[in-house]
Amino acid sequence: MSGPSIFFEDVNERQGGFLRRTFLLGGFAGIGLTALTARLAYLQTLQTSRYRSMSAENQFNLRLIPPPRGLIKDRNGVVLAGNRPSFRLLVIRDETKDLDTTLDEVAQLLPATAARRRTLLREINQSPRFVPVAVATDLTWEEFARVNLHAPQLPGVMADVNEARFYPFGGAFAHVVGYVGKVTDRDVEKVKKSGKDVDPILMHPGFRIGKQGVESALDEELRGTPGVQRVEVDATGRQVGEDRDNGEPPQPGAEVVLTLDADIQMRALEVFGEESGAAVVMDIHNGDLLCLASSPSFDPNAFVGGIGSKLYRAYSEYDHKPLLDKALTGTYPAGSTFKTMVALAALESGISPHKTRSCGGAWRFGNHVFHCDKASGHGTVDMHKAIVTSCDVYFYQTALEMGPDIIAATARKFGINQIFDIGIGNQKKGVLPDRAWKKRAFRRPEDQIWYPGETPSFGIGQGALAVNPLQLCVMTARLANGRKALNPRLIKSIGGKERPAGSAVPDLPISADHIDIIRSAMADVANDVSGTAYRAAQLGLGPIKMAGKTGTAQAHSITSGASRATLHLEWERRDHAWFIAFAPYDAPRYAITVLVEHGGWGAGAAAPRAREIMRTTLLKDPAIIRRIQATGATVEAPPPIDDSEGSGLPEAPTLVGAQGRTAAE
Amino acid sequence: MTSSALTRPGQRERLPVKFSEIDWRLAGLTCVIAGVGAMMLYSVAGGNWEPWAAKHLLRFGACLLVMLSLALVDIRVWMTVAYPVYGVALLLLMAIEIPGVGYTALGATRWLNLGFTRIQPSEIMKLALVLALARYYHGASARDARFSWKLIIPLAMIGMPTLLVAHQPDLGTAMLLALTGLAVMFMAGLSWRIILTGLTAAAVAIPPFVMFVLHDYQRQRVLTFLEPEKDPSGSGYHIMQSLIAMGSGGLLGKGYGLGTQSQLNFLPEKQTDFIFATVAEEFGFIGCVTVLIVFGLIIATCLRIASLSHSHFGRLAAAGVTATFALYVLINGAMVMGLAPVVGVPMPLLSYGGTVMITVMIGFGLVQSVRVHRYMELPKGRGLF
């Protein structure tokens, strides 16, 4: 095969050169492989610990487990805010074949999801691919079973159970307990602004924080401590396994016990029916608030999952303002209930209770005629009679004699114009007018002067005066207690730790004798035939009787003094009805304040409701029951109050009939 | 069988004799690597033969048969087809450049659509270039190979396909082609003066080349490999995860099937380009060195075959295939270890993927053929025909 064309010299040279170069090529490859080995040695021996920890960081994630939220209970352990299991349907985008067809199939199982399709699509697309998004919550057992049956054929669809906040009493405690809602960007901003670290649990999908009332004020206590679980994840962050040995279980939030009594609160809401107003009941021994109700109310459960805009608009547009907490946030003129303060101020400033004034139904001061509620006049009245019959003329004159400052100072001692530290916010201070207030409140010098013509109105609790029902109840409680400047208490304990009682306060700087004079007058308001609330305030509990004071506060200015009855007017022009009371009148234990917004007048709308709430309160007290039984009296059925059909009490004012109307308030 | 028997005319042409001349050690070593590959593919699929391991073994079996068949092909046939194959491969590479003919995927036009299948002409070119250069040098004098104006011919043979492939763009393959070609030139006896001048020129030219000529994504790859931790979520991610996988393997590895980086998908391209990082994670330093030793033995065996050939064509062809193979191993190794940019060069026989396996095994078929026909002396002129 070898041909003559090959020059042997050339062949030998080429072959020799090739052999040398082969060794070199082999050498280069060897050097390359050695370099790789050296690099491997560096990575796999010297750097191992560093890369091991990085590998573990990759492999494991700390996952937060939301803690069960602390329960909120009433004083007897009745759950006001609890957690209930909620069946949910979740969709994991990453595991679906096609999100659109998956949602179609889900809509076949749960037709309700079809309507929210667009929202759902956006929500799912905004979440990370592997995070389950709740497509439907609060499934019924039947729906849950149906979903579970079909889920295996639907990739990316699963059903689970989580805890949802639940308010078993619906609206009864809505204003006090509040509600929880989704964590918004604004909530996170607020935490950041307060300088605190944002709890990572806030970012947990489905986590809820308190938005209102106790839920909001004690959110951190109720929230608990999230548990931590070390989970194995893959590169996309999807969980592939658990590390059961490491991690901590969640610590449930602290249990909050309120001083409220669910029975009393429910009774209050019941007697209000559709009427708008507020009821506050206090234990005058320790300041515990037994009832703090605002009517009409709203369903806090609707807010937990995110309230629909339609329902929210219905709530906010209804003229009875269900979202407003009328017990704390609403302020109203105190009306004649304030006469207790004016009388006490008179006694404190040295005016004799026996000093009489003459009431002719009206009284001219300057170029203004001030009317009394009883157009024919009360004749000669002293302090006792003035309170019992609620004579306006007596108080016009008495107030003018004292001037506004001393009245305001006395009222302030009784809690008017104060914000109480009861653990929840939203309290409005209102207005307690005096000379200093005018200086503060007005800019123009001529407005800053207190004109004598303003004093008579102030004397009957009108004018600029504005109070909230809680303040009036504290005032009543302090009158009833007689000694202590009692503070209200709403939060009984947090996590088993008792909060200081409202009675750990200094004494009232008021003479006990003077308070007695007011109290005996209040007793006659409810129990003397001439009293403004004589019929409406009968408890029917034998020796246990109430002492009280009615009030009718103008919600609009009266143009003519001819008629002050406003019941015939349209709702929002009617007067506000007040009733403040304590019982038993001889050994006070409970104080109550009832406001019926635009209720017409105190004795008609407010007093019967106060009586019913007070009856419930008294009948829950074993000491009171023993006292009734000791006298051999039987507990009478209460006068009919809410037997009118349907709406409960709107007709109530007619129950007191003509007798109430003749008495001036 | 005595050597005297083999010297009888025609004796070596008998198929059973040829078969016995096949280097079974080389065949065995390729089986070892492919077996390790299948084992790792089984592991990264979470302990499943599907979707990779079974296919990998099947393909390798087929490729092994191809290799053994090619081993029996007369060396003169190889020499004869060298230029035509190169010519066809070059034409196909050009055809890709015609709009509408090339098939584009992932932003690169690398494929030619034949209707029933797609072929990658650059893969054919890898072996075609080796064959063509060996064919050229077989006929050239030692002086032509060392230092002569005629060096323009092999340079053009390397340059044309390299530029065409780089334009696709496929930087990894282009680099591989150029380096393979240069390796053949080196083996053919290129003057050291030219080599040193060339290396100096390259050292000067590379930085501006990286800065101004490369595509954005290519530059990104080059720059991030230098500092992978700077951009851990972007293009540095591949390198970082690979380093974590290898480093966390330690001396003995995490254990077979227990590599968290690959099992949990942190390691990208774990079944193809980064399969070696999985070996490193699960079998540690010991496992890696074992695999590298096997690769080293393959290279050594091939070079020995090259050196034993009596024909210059056989020597250069075998050496060229060996250089290609060694470059695959070194570039992939350097890439997964963070010593080179991520260029998409797989680990031959270990990585999942048919194209490279076919190329490499056809190459080994050529090497085997060189061994089987090592005593055959070839005239300088044309081949068989």
Side-chain angles (χ1 to χ4, degrees):
Chain A
M1 202 46 83
S2 55
S5 59
I6 297 175
F7 300 92
F8 288 99
E9 193 187 317
D10 198 33
V11 169
N12 287 339
E13 191 191 338
R14 288 206 304 190
Q15 190 173 10
F18 180 80
L19 281 176
R20 281 197 301 277
R21 297 266 160 127
T22 305
F23 277 113
L24 282 172
L25 187 68
F28 289 147
I31 289 169
L33 290 175
T34 311
L36 293 187
T37 308
R39 173 71 170 167
L40 277 172
Y42 169 75
L43 289 175
Q44 299 194 301
T45 57
L46 296 178
Q47 296 279 305
T48 306
S49 60
R50 172 164 165 250
Y51 285 118
R52 284 239 167 98
S53 71
M54 287 169 87
S55 165
E57 258 173 57
N58 269 347
Q59 186 188 358
F60 293 108
N61 258 1
L62 289 184
R63 199 145 286 183
L64 291 174
I65 312 164
R69 197 170 171 84
L71 301 181
I72 302 176
K73 293 181 171 175
D74 88 338
R75 63 187 301 115
N76 301 317
V78 178
V79 175
L80 307 180
N83 305 311
R84 63 172 171 79
S86 161
F87 299 117
R88 303 185 297 179
L89 183 143
L90 307 166
V91 168
I92 305 161
R93 178 156 54 114
D94 206 20
E95 290 175 13
T96 60
K97 285 209 181 78
D98 175 60
L99 188 55
D100 266 308
T101 51
T102 303
L103 283 182
D104 284 342
E105 282 155 352
V106 167
Q108 276 180 7
L109 291 177
L110 305 167
T113 58
R116 297 194 300 128
R117 193 195 178 91
R118 190 175 298 178
T119 331
L120 289 173
L121 266 175
R122 198 187 43 203
E123 231 172 275
I124 295 171
N125 284 322
Q126 279 170 357
S127 312
R129 296 190 63 88
F130 50 85
V131 168
V133 176
V135 162
T137 51
D138 289 336
L139 305 181
T140 62
W141 175 249
E142 195 187 317
E143 288 169 325
F144 184 65
R146 195 160 59 214
V147 169
N148 265 335
L149 187 67
H150 291 280
Q153 287 110 55
L154 302 174
V157 174
M158 55 186 263
D160 84 339
V161 188
N162 81 327
E163 285 205 326
R165 198 62 160 170
F166 179 58
Y167 304 100
F169 287 90
F173 294 88
H175 297 102
V176 180
V177 169
Y179 51 85
V180 294
K182 283 180 185 161
V183 183
T184 61
D185 294 344
R186 214 189 290 168
D187 295 323
V188 176
E189 276 305 305
K190 220 161 82 186
V191 178
K192 275 186 192 154
K193 258 187 201 151
S194 70
K196 282 186 221 153
D197 290 334
V198 178
D199 191 341
I201 192 71
L202 291 186
M203 312 300 185
H204 196 276
F207 191 74
R208 299 281 187 271
I209 59 165
K211 296 284 188 177
Q212 284 282 321
V214 174
E215 292 274 30
S216 167
L218 298 179
D219 188 56
E220 278 174 32
E221 289 84 347
L222 288 164
R223 195 185 289 168
T225 314
V228 179
Q229 191 182 29
R230 223 165 78 114
V231 295
E232 196 178 5
V233 296
D234 69 4
T236 57
R238 188 192 300 115
Q239 182 177 336
V240 294
E242 279 178 19
D243 184 355
R244 290 195 185 279
D245 303 329
N246 290 297
E248 282 167 32
Q251 299 294 320
E255 184 175 294
V256 171
V257 178
L258 304 183
T259 58
L260 299 180
D261 186 311
D263 293 332
I264 301 169
Q265 183 94 355
M266 287 300 280
R267 182 67 179 144
L269 265 291
E270 194 181 18
V271 298
F272 266 98
E274 286 299 302
E275 282 293 339
S276 176
V280 186
V281 177
M282 255 172 93
D283 182 326
I284 65 145
H285 284 180
N286 54 21
D288 281 1
L289 288 162
L290 300 175
C291 168
L292 189 63
S294 176
S295 172
S297 192
F298 60 91
D299 182 8
N301 292 304
F303 286 81
V304 175
I307 188 167
S309 57
K310 217 180 263 176
L311 180 58
Y312 187 79
R313 205 166 45 240
Y315 275 146
S316 51
E317 282 175 1
Y318 183 37
D319 64 356
H320 283 39
K321 296 198 176 81
L323 295 177
L324 176 76
D325 186 356
K326 298 175 184 90
L328 301 179
T329 314
T331 61
Y332 311 84
S336 300
T337 59
F338 194 65
K339 287 173 184 166
T340 53
M341 289 296 105
V342 180
L344 201 57
L347 294 171
E348 288 290 301
S349 62
I351 295 172
S352 162
H354 306 299
K355 178 171 180 176
T356 59
R357 300 179 195 276
S358 162
C359 169
W363 173 62
R364 172 178 288 275
F365 177 69
N367 53 7
H368 188 88
V369 178
F370 289 91
H371 290 272
C372 190
D373 206 52
K374 192 178 178 184
S376 56
H378 292 100
T380 305
V381 286
D382 62 0
M383 184 180 283
H384 186 86
K385 191 181 173 190
I387 294 173
V388 172
T389 61
S390 202
C391 174
D392 290 343
V393 172
Y394 177 89
F395 284 100
Y396 292 144
Q397 294 174 2
T398 307
L400 194 66
E401 191 178 330
M402 289 181 287
D405 289 355
I406 188 158
I407 301 173
T410 309
R412 200 166 283 124
K413 286 172 193 156
F414 279 78
I416 302 299
N417 204 229
Q418 282 174 40
I419 286 177
F420 301 100
D421 178 22
I422 59 170
I424 59 175
N426 275 350
Q427 291 177 54
K428 279 253 175 72
K429 219 171 145 183
V431 176
L432 182 57
D434 58 9
R435 291 192 171 91
W437 168 75
K438 284 214 86 170
K439 283 221 172 72
R440 276 200 313 274
F442 294 94
R443 292 270 291 285
R444 280 167 38 194
E446 62 267 35
D447 289 339
Q448 289 182 330
I449 305 162
W450 182 278
Y451 294 100
E454 298 173 60
T455 313
S457 298
F458 187 33
I460 61 160
Q462 295 285 157
L465 180 70
V467 300
N468 68 39
L470 176 65
Q471 288 167 348
L472 268 198
C473 192
V474 169
M475 177 189 93
T476 314
R478 288 182 184 179
L479 276 174
N481 183 294
R483 204 163 55 81
K484 292 277 184 195
L486 213 56
N487 274 330
R489 178 173 79 154
L490 178 66
I491 315 292
K492 193 168 154 63
S493 67
I494 300 173
K497 252 181 85 180
E498 192 84 7
R499 303 265 294 195
S503 52
V505 288
D507 287 354
L508 275 172
I510 301 282
S511 148
D513 294 342
H514 293 164
I515 290 177
D516 274 343
I517 291 171
I518 308 297
R519 288 204 299 216
S520 74
M522 285 171 76
D524 280 350
V525 168
N527 300 303
D528 189 89
V529 283
S530 65
T532 50
Y534 171 64
R535 277 282 312 268
Q538 293 307 303
L539 286 167
L541 294 178
I544 311 296
K545 291 185 186 303
M546 278 207 297
K549 180 72 193 84
T550 56
T552 304
Q554 287 168 22
H556 69 290
S557 51
I558 297 170
T559 44
S560 145
S563 169
R564 282 181 50 180
T566 56
L567 263 178
H568 61 283
L569 296 174
E570 62 225 68
W571 184 76
E572 67 271 22
R573 286 170 57 82
R574 291 181 204 164
D575 291 342
H576 298 308
W578 283 110
F579 192 65
I580 63 170
F582 58 85
Y585 75 121
D586 48 355
R589 182 65 209 262
Y590 301 107
I592 186 170
T593 295
V594 168
L595 161 78
V596 182
E597 227 185 351
H598 306 294
W601 59 310
R609 291 187 166 85
R611 176 193 71 213
E612 286 313 301
I613 299 166
M614 185 58 95
R615 263 179 67 88
T616 306
T617 310
L618 291 167
L619 289 176
K620 287 210 75 172
D621 187 335
I624 302 288
I625 301 273
R626 270 199 302 278
R627 225 185 114 185
I628 297 169
Q629 283 164 346
T631 59
T634 50
V635 176
E636 292 169 33
I641 179 82
D642 48 2
D643 56 354
S644 55
E645 275 186 20
S647 56
L649 281 180
E651 301 301 316
T654 58
L655 289 174
V656 289
Q659 195 257 341
R661 287 206 180 201
T662 52
E665 279 204 60
Chain B
M1 195 173 291
T2 61
S3 62
S4 60
L6 279 173
T7 50
R8 253 177 270 146
Q11 184 67 24
R12 291 184 205 279
E13 303 297 312
R14 289 174 54 220
L15 271 186
V17 176
K18 278 193 176 186
F19 200 73
S20 68
E21 285 293 305
I22 285 174
D23 192 321
W24 293 104
R25 198 172 65 153
L26 177 58
L29 289 171
T30 56
C31 289
V32 169
I33 296 289
V36 171
M39 199 169 92
M40 295 322 297
L41 291 171
Y42 180 83
S43 165
V44 295
N48 279 316
W49 286 105
E50 299 300 325
W52 302 306
K55 243 177 168 177
H56 186 75
L57 278 184
L58 253 142
R59 273 186 194 151
F60 179 73
C63 287
L64 196 64
L65 290 178
V66 169
M67 182 189 87
L68 294 177
S69 315
L70 291 175
L72 307 177
V73 171
D74 196 304
I75 187 91
R76 287 165 298 183
V77 176
W78 289 105
M79 202 163 138
T80 309
V81 299
Y83 281 151
V85 167
Y86 177 82
V88 169
L90 200 61
L91 282 175
L92 290 177
L93 279 178
M94 289 182 202
I96 285 179
E97 297 296 312
I98 303 166
V101 175
Y103 176 83
T104 308
L106 305 168
T109 312
R110 294 174 190 172
W111 293 268
L112 204 61
N113 213 338
L114 296 183
F116 61 96
T117 183
R118 280 194 294 270
I119 58 165
Q120 207 174 332
S122 55
E123 261 335 292
I124 303 175
M125 184 49 91
K126 279 175 192 161
L127 287 176
L129 181 64
V130 169
L131 280 174
L133 286 172
R135 172 79 177 82
Y136 169 76
Y137 277 114
H138 182 74
S141 70
R143 221 161 54 87
D144 289 348
R146 191 168 61 241
F147 198 104
S148 153
W149 62 269
K150 283 187 181 166
L151 284 174
I152 289 177
I153 299 167
L155 271 181
M157 288 164 77
I158 300 166
M160 282 186 298
T162 302
L163 289 177
L164 282 168
V165 171
H167 184 251
Q168 289 177 353
D170 185 350
L171 198 69
T173 307
M175 196 165 74
L176 210 64
L177 278 175
L179 289 175
T180 305
L182 293 173
V184 176
M185 285 179 79
F186 169 78
M187 298 299 288
L190 190 65
S191 157
W192 281 108
R193 256 187 292 170
I194 297 181
I195 294 171
L196 291 177
T197 316
L199 285 178
T200 317
V204 173
I206 282 176
F209 175 76
V210 167
M211 275 304 151
F212 302 112
V213 182
L214 288 187
H215 281 258
D216 262 351
Y217 85 95
Q218 293 168 332
R219 179 164 43 242
Q220 200 64 33
R221 279 178 176 181
V222 173
L223 294 180
T224 39
F225 111 83
L226 297 171
E227 276 179 291
E229 274 147 86
K230 220 172 187 178
D231 184 18
S233 58
S235 31
Y237 180 82
H238 287 49
I239 298 172
M240 261 334 284
Q241 296 305 331
S242 176
L243 289 179
I244 293 171
M246 303 187 93
S248 63
L251 196 63
L252 296 171
K254 293 177 183 168
Y256 182 56
L258 299 175
T260 53
Q261 284 289 105
S262 46
Q263 304 287 344
L264 300 175
N265 288 325
F266 289 102
L267 192 61
E269 306 289 334
K270 58 187 181 183
Q271 80 279 19
T272 55
D273 291 1
F274 285 92
I275 190 86
F276 191 69
T278 310
V279 177
E281 187 182 21
E282 299 196 345
F283 294 110
F285 183 65
I286 301 294
C288 284
V289 169
T290 309
V291 171
L292 287 182
I293 285 174
V294 176
F295 276 125
L297 287 175
I298 291 178
I299 293 167
T301 309
C302 289
L303 285 179
R304 172 151 179 81
I305 291 170
S307 67
L308 288 178
S309 175
H310 286 198
S311 67
H312 205 52
F313 172 77
R315 286 196 285 258
L316 286 175
V321 170
T322 314
T324 312
F325 184 77
L327 283 168
Y328 265 123
V329 174
L330 293 177
I331 292 175
N332 179 275
M335 179 180 94
V336 297
M337 292 177 205
L339 294 171
V342 178
V343 283
V345 171
M347 193 60 109
L349 303 180
L350 207 59
S351 292
Y352 179 76
T355 323
V356 174
M357 187 183 274
I358 293 168
T359 309
V360 166
M361 290 304 279
I362 291 177
F364 284 146
L366 174 56
V367 173
Q368 295 281 18
S369 171
V370 169
R371 179 182 151 95
V372 169
H373 303 96
R374 62 188 179 280
Y375 298 116
M376 193 171 277
E377 308 218 337
L378 299 173
K380 258 199 173 182
R382 302 180 297 118
L384 257 189
F385 313 109

